[in-house]
Structures are given as structure tokens and as C-alpha cells.
Amino acid sequence: MTAQHGLRRARIAFSYAAAKQLENITSEAEIHALDRALVVVSVDPDVGEPIPGDAAGPQLRQYTDDIEQVRVLYFVTALRTVVVVAYIEV
């Protein structure tokens, strides 16, 4: 890898519930806010805070963008794919 190339971003996928939330977004401001949060998470999937829970399933994380007032709940797969479980406006 040359110095001019950075690390690869994580792929973003959406759960069924998150996809349904996306269908209801009509405001350009909401789209921009969500896009900003997804870029942050795709660049560094570990940026969010772990949500305490059952160790049997995937470790849920939440990322909150205080500037855009957005919270995204997600988990990271073994192949470093970020699966968005829910997009929640704060």
C-alpha cells in the first residue's frame, strides 16, 4: 500500500428495521446528518460506545454525532462490515 492510499472504509449494510427507517426520511437535512454519521462509522467502526448486553449475540455499539443530533445503533461483523440496526434522531 502506498502512502497516498488510506485504509479501506468498512462496508455499511442495513437491517430490515433500519432500511424501513431510511424509506421514511424525506428531509435533506436528515439525509445529510445520517450520511455524516455513516461516514464516521465507516472510517472507524470502533468509534461508537459499546452497549451493554448479552455476550451471545453481536456487540451492539452506538455512535452519537452531537453536532448533527444523530444516533446510530450498529454492530461490526467479523469481516468488518458495519450493520446499522437503527438510525435514531436524538
Side-chain angles (χ1 to χ4, degrees):
M1 184 181 308
T2 64
Q4 65 183 348
H5 297 294
L7 295 174
R8 189 173 75 100
R9 285 185 183 183
R11 184 175 156 260
I12 302 286
F14 297 93
S15 69
Y16 179 77
K20 292 305 269 179
Q21 284 182 307
L22 290 175
E23 289 177 6
N24 295 325
I25 297 176
T26 57
S27 162
E28 189 135 341
E30 288 178 334
I31 292 169
H32 171 76
L34 178 59
D35 187 50
R36 176 184 160 104
L38 293 177
V39 167
V40 170
V41 171
S42 73
V43 170
D44 181 7
D46 297 322
V47 71
E49 299 173 4
I51 298 174
D54 188 354
Q59 173 65 61
L60 282 177
R61 303 181 73 81
Q62 70 175 343
Y63 169 71
T64 303
D65 183 328
D66 294 326
I67 295 170
E68 296 289 348
Q69 299 297 302
V70 168
R71 183 170 62 170
V72 176
L73 302 180
Y74 66 96
F75 65 89
V76 183
T77 68
L79 297 176
R80 301 297 286 173
T81 296
V82 173
V83 178
V84 176
V85 176
Y87 154 70
I88 303 170
E89 233 180 309
V90 177

